[in-house]
Amino acid sequence: MSKSTGSTASVASAASGRTAARTALRALQILLALFFAIGSALPKLIGHSAAVETFEQMGWGSAGMYAIGVLELAGAIGLVVPVLQAAAALGLSALMVGAFVVQLTEFHGENAATPLILIVPLALIAWVRRGSLVRGRGPVPARVG
C-alpha cells in the first residue's frame, strides 16, 4: 500500500468515526428529549396525582408544578432544535441542579442521584454543541468551492 493510500484510509476512518460520534450524540439528545418531555414534563402538565402530591408536599402547589413542567418541555424541544440544543442542555442542567438541591432538602436525598446522573450527558451535549451558543446559530454548513 502506498503512502497516499494509507493516509486516504486513515482520513476515511476518522471521518467515519466523527459521523458515528455525531450520530450517537444526536441519539442521546433524542433520548433525553423524550425522557424530559414524556417522562418528566407530561405528568406535571397533565396534573398526574403523583406529581401533584410531590409539589403539594414541597409547598409549591400546582403553579410550581406547571412551571417546572413547562421548563422541562421547553428544554426537551430545545434539545432537538439545532440552534437551541446547547442552550437547552445548559438550561436543563441548571434545572437538574435545582432538582438535586430539592431532593436533598425536601426528600432527604431519596432520589438525589437521578439529577446528577442526568447532568453528565446534558453537560456533554452543551460542550459539544457550544458552537451554536457562540455563533448564535446552528452548525455552519460546509463551503462549496
Side-chain angles (χ1 to χ4, degrees), residues 10-34:
S10 65
V11 168
S13 175
S16 174
R18 283 191 299 274
T19 300
R22 278 195 302 267
T23 301
L25 185 63
R26 191 65 167 156
L28 178 63
Q29 287 176 243
I30 291 168
L31 285 172
L32 284 170
L34 288 171

Side-chain angles (χ1 to χ4, degrees), residues 19-111:
T19 300
R22 278 195 302 267
T23 301
L25 185 63
R26 191 65 167 156
L28 178 63
Q29 287 176 243
I30 291 168
L31 285 172
L32 284 170
L34 288 171
F35 169 77
F36 278 105
I38 297 168
S40 196
L42 184 63
K44 294 173 183 80
L45 296 175
I46 65 171
H48 188 274
S49 60
V52 171
E53 288 173 22
T54 300
F55 279 84
E56 288 297 330
Q57 182 181 351
M58 291 187 302
W60 293 17
S62 61
M65 178 182 70
Y66 290 125
I68 298 297
V70 166
L71 290 172
E72 289 173 338
L73 183 59
I77 293 167
L79 283 175
V80 295
V81 177
V83 71
L84 300 175
Q85 53 201 1
L90 284 173
L92 286 169
S93 293
L95 204 56
M96 291 300 97
V97 169
F100 174 72
V101 170
V102 167
Q103 287 295 327
L104 287 179
T105 59
E106 296 288 330
F107 300 104
H108 311 294
E110 205 170 289
N111 295 311

